[in-house]
Amino acid sequence: MTAVAGILNKQGVAIAADSAVTVNGVNHRKVYNSANKIFTLSKYHPVGIAIYNSAQIMGIPWEILIKEYRKQIGDKSFPKLSDYKDNFLSWLEANNYFIEKQNNTYIFVDFLSFVQAIINEPQFQSELRKGADIETLLSDKLNNFSLEIIKSPSIDSLKGINEPDTKKLIASLVPEILGALSNNFNRNFDQSKLEKPLLESYFNFLNHDWFIQYTGLIFTGYGETEIFPRLITINVSLVIDGKLRFIEDKKKEVVISDANNASIRPFAQTDVIDTVLQGISPELKGLSTNVFGDFINQFIHEITQIPSIPAELLVSLQAINTQQYVQNYHQQLGNIVSKRYVKPLMGAVAQLSKEDLKNIFKFVS
C-alpha cells in the first residue's frame, strides 16, 4: 500500500505518508518500503513537497532533485505557492539532467506501458478470448484510441515540441516494442501493419491528458502574500524534446479560504481515508447504486410479466427511464453522506490548532 494525505485549515497544514515507493525499470517494477516522501522545498520558508507513485523520473530519484533545488533556491521566496511550483518545474526543465541518449530507455518503458495498458483493457482481453486476431485487434484499438484521446485536454507543457524529431524518436522504438510483444505472445508481429498505429497513438498520448507511469508532486504551504495554506498537485512523467511532460491536477487542488475552512486530501491509495471521510466505503457506495438499479429493472420487469396487464400501462412501464432514478439515488446518497459525515468532520478539523492537525492522522489512517 502507498498513501499520502494532506490536512489543511486556516491555522496550518500537515502532511503524512507511508514509506512505500515504486521504482520502474525496463524489466522490473519494485516497491521499496523505507523511502522518504516528504521534503522541505525551502529551508527558510513554509513550503513543502511530497511525492507519490514513482520515486524517480527517468532514472533520477526525486529526493536528489529536490535537495539540489533547495540548495539552488537558498533563501529566495515567492508571493504565492504556485510561484514556487512554477520555479521548481522551470529549474527542472532548464537543467541538463535528462539529455543523455540512454534516457530514451525510459521513454521506451513509458511507450511499452502505454501499449500494455491498451492490451490489458477488459474489452481487449474479452475479444482476444473470443478468438480475435491480436495484431488486427491491436491495430484497431490503437487507431480508436487516437481518435478518442484527441478529444481530451492537450498538455500545455508540451506545446512547441518538435513533432518531426519526436515522431522519429518514437518510430525508432517501435521495433523494440514489437520485440517485447513478440516475446510476450510468442508470435511475430508485422511492423508494416502496426508501426503507424503505434506511432500516432503514442504521440497523441504524450500530448494529451492521460498518464500511466508518473510521479505525483504535492506542493503545499504558503507564499509570502498568502495568509492561508494551499495545496497544488502536479503529475510528471517524462522529458520529451527537452520539455517536461506534466499537468496540474486541478481536481486535487486545495485552497483554504473563508468559503473552505478545512480539507483532508488523500492521494495514491485513497480507499481507507475516503471511507473514514464519507462514512461508507467508495466501493460499497458504488455497489449499492448498482444494486438499486438492478432492483428497479427487475421490479419493472416482473410487473410487465403480470398476465392481462393493460397495454397502455405496459407501454408506460417500458418507457420509464430507470437510469434517471439510479442517478437520483446516487445523488441523494451523496447528499446524505456529505451532511452526516463529511461536513461535521470538516467542521471539527477547521477548529484544530496547527499543533493538533498532525494528530488527526491517527484517526484517518
Side-chain angles (χ1 to χ4, degrees):
M1 177 178 179
T2 177
V4 179
I7 302 179
L8 301 87
N9 66 12
K10 288 185 176 181
Q11 301 296 322
V13 53
I15 194 162
D18 64 359
S19 59
V21 296
T22 302
V23 175
N24 294 297
V26 178
N27 297 312
H28 69 277
R29 181 176 184 272
K30 186 172 179 61
V31 176
Y32 293 93
N33 294 307
S34 58
N36 294 326
K37 292 184 180 179
I38 303 173
F39 309 91
T40 56
L41 199 60
S42 168
K43 288 185 176 181
Y44 302 91
H45 304 286
V47 180
I49 185 171
I51 65 172
Y52 65 96
N53 282 355
S54 180
Q56 61 183 18
I57 176 171
M58 300 183 79
I60 304 177
W62 280 106
E63 181 173 1
I64 293 175
L65 293 171
I66 292 168
K67 289 179 178 178
E68 287 298 312
Y69 173 78
R70 192 164 58 212
K71 289 192 295 185
Q72 176 268 334
I73 193 176
D75 62 355
K76 186 177 181 180
S77 65
F78 297 97
K80 298 180 180 180
L81 180 68
S82 59
D83 296 325
Y84 283 95
K85 176 260 299 180
D86 292 340
N87 186 260
F88 177 78
L89 295 175
S90 297
W91 170 85
L92 194 63
E93 190 173 78
N95 281 277
N96 295 326
Y97 298 123
F98 312 107
I99 63 173
E100 296 180 15
K101 291 183 178 180
Q102 67 182 33
N103 283 325
N104 289 347
T105 299
Y106 298 99
I107 299 175
F108 166 75
V109 171
D110 192 71
F111 193 178
L112 183 59
S113 296
F114 162 73
V115 177
Q116 289 173 333
I118 299 290
I119 291 174
N120 290 336
E121 287 181 349
Q123 185 180 1
F124 189 100
Q125 290 295 316
S126 176
E127 294 181 34
L128 202 58
R129 286 192 294 269
K130 292 177 182 177
D133 175 66
I134 186 172
E135 192 170 77
T136 302
L137 183 60
L138 180 57
S139 177
D140 291 342
K141 293 295 182 182
L142 291 170
N143 288 328
N144 290 336
F145 175 86
S146 291
L147 294 175
E148 290 300 318
I149 193 65
I150 58 176
K151 299 176 184 178
S152 64
S154 59
I155 296 178
D156 291 338
S157 62
L158 290 188
K159 284 184 176 179
I161 194 172
N162 187 311
E163 182 173 338
D165 285 352
T166 302
K167 286 189 172 181
K168 183 178 179 180
L169 169 60
I170 296 173
S172 71
L173 298 174
V174 168
E176 294 181 66
I177 295 295
L178 295 179
L181 292 178
S182 297
N183 292 334
N184 190 28
F185 291 96
N186 196 28
R187 61 159 291 174
N188 293 323
F189 287 82
D190 189 342
Q191 183 170 335
S192 64
K193 292 182 179 179
L194 288 173
E195 182 171 11
K196 184 177 179 180
L198 284 168
L199 172 61
E200 294 296 332
S201 60
Y202 184 61
F203 181 79
N204 288 328
F205 162 80
L206 288 175
N207 282 278
H208 291 82
D209 181 14
W210 199 41
F211 287 71
I212 298 174
Q213 291 191 10
Y214 69 95
T215 300
L217 298 179
I218 306 166
F219 297 83
T220 189
Y222 304 77
E224 285 292 319
T225 63
E226 294 172 324
I227 61 173
F228 300 138
R230 66 191 307 161
L231 183 150
I232 301 171
T233 304
I234 306 293
N235 296 333
V236 183
S237 62
L238 293 168
V239 173
I240 302 289
D241 191 33
K243 293 183 179 294
L244 188 67
R245 182 175 185 260
F246 71 90
I247 192 166
E248 190 168 336
D249 192 342
K250 290 290 186 180
K251 293 180 180 179
K252 295 178 180 177
E253 182 178 10
V254 177
V255 179
I256 297 299
S257 63
D258 289 334
N260 181 33
N261 292 324
S263 179
I264 299 177
R265 181 72 74 214
F267 299 90
Q269 293 183 327
T270 64
D271 51 342
V272 174
I273 295 179
D274 283 339
T275 299
V276 174
L277 291 178
Q278 300 180 26
I280 182 174
S281 162
E283 182 181 8
L284 180 58
K285 185 179 177 182
L287 288 173
S288 71
T289 301
N290 293 336
V291 169
F292 178 73
D294 292 341
F295 172 79
I296 290 181
N297 289 325
Q298 183 180 358
F299 181 69
I300 292 177
H301 174 73
E302 291 183 2
I303 293 178
T304 60
Q305 301 306 306
I306 296 175
S308 304
I309 186 173
E312 291 183 0
L313 177 58
L314 179 62
V315 172
S316 297
L317 287 171
Q318 292 174 337
I320 292 177
N321 183 1
T322 58
Q323 186 60 34
Q324 184 63 50
Y325 285 94
V326 173
Q327 291 175 354
N328 290 341
Y329 168 82
H330 184 76
Q331 182 176 2
Q332 289 298 318
L333 180 60
N335 292 339
I336 293 171
V337 166
S338 177
K339 181 178 180 180
R340 294 192 178 184
Y341 296 96
V342 179
K343 288 184 178 179
L345 178 57
M346 290 302 103
V349 172
Q351 304 304 316
L352 293 175
S353 67
K354 59 180 179 292
E355 292 79 10
D356 292 331
L357 275 175
K358 63 180 182 297
N359 293 327
I360 201 170
F361 284 112
K362 299 177 182 178
F363 174 66
V364 298
S365 61

